[in-house]
Amino acid sequence: MQSSAEFGELRRAHRSFAFPVTVAFLAWYLGYVLLSSYAGGFMATKVIGHLNVAFVLGLAQFATTFLIAWWYSRHAAARLDPRAEAIKSRLEGDV
């Protein structure tokens, strides 16, 4: 089954989403860490009241994590689950 065209399409559909989003998120996270380490003055800049850039970007890290999880669940429901279900049905029908 792993060498079938259907399974290859499923893997490509997963990878075409997961890899770029993972790389983008890791770059975003690393950027935050590097800014925290080497741009203390910038990160200490007040945005509103006592809230500074570091706090806002830190909250954005959490928001980004939840956004990616939501986006992936939509992607999986629309593009991955139907393909996986078709493969599963074909396998169970062959048994």
Side-chain angles (χ1 to χ4, degrees), residues 36-77:
S36 296
S37 297
Y38 298 107
F42 170 70
M43 295 296 268
T45 303
K46 300 286 186 201
V47 178
I48 300 171
H50 294 289
L51 299 179
N52 59 19
V53 171
F55 187 77
V56 172
L57 292 180
L59 288 178
Q61 290 283 322
F62 286 101
T64 304
T65 301
F66 289 110
L67 177 66
I68 290 171
W70 170 79
W71 189 18
Y72 179 77
S73 70
R74 287 180 42 101
H75 171 75

Side-chain angles (χ1 to χ4, degrees), residues 22-44:
T22 300
V23 168
F25 182 77
L26 288 175
W28 159 230
Y29 178 75
L30 182 61
Y32 177 75
V33 170
L34 290 173
L35 283 172
S36 296
S37 297
Y38 298 107
F42 170 70
M43 295 296 268

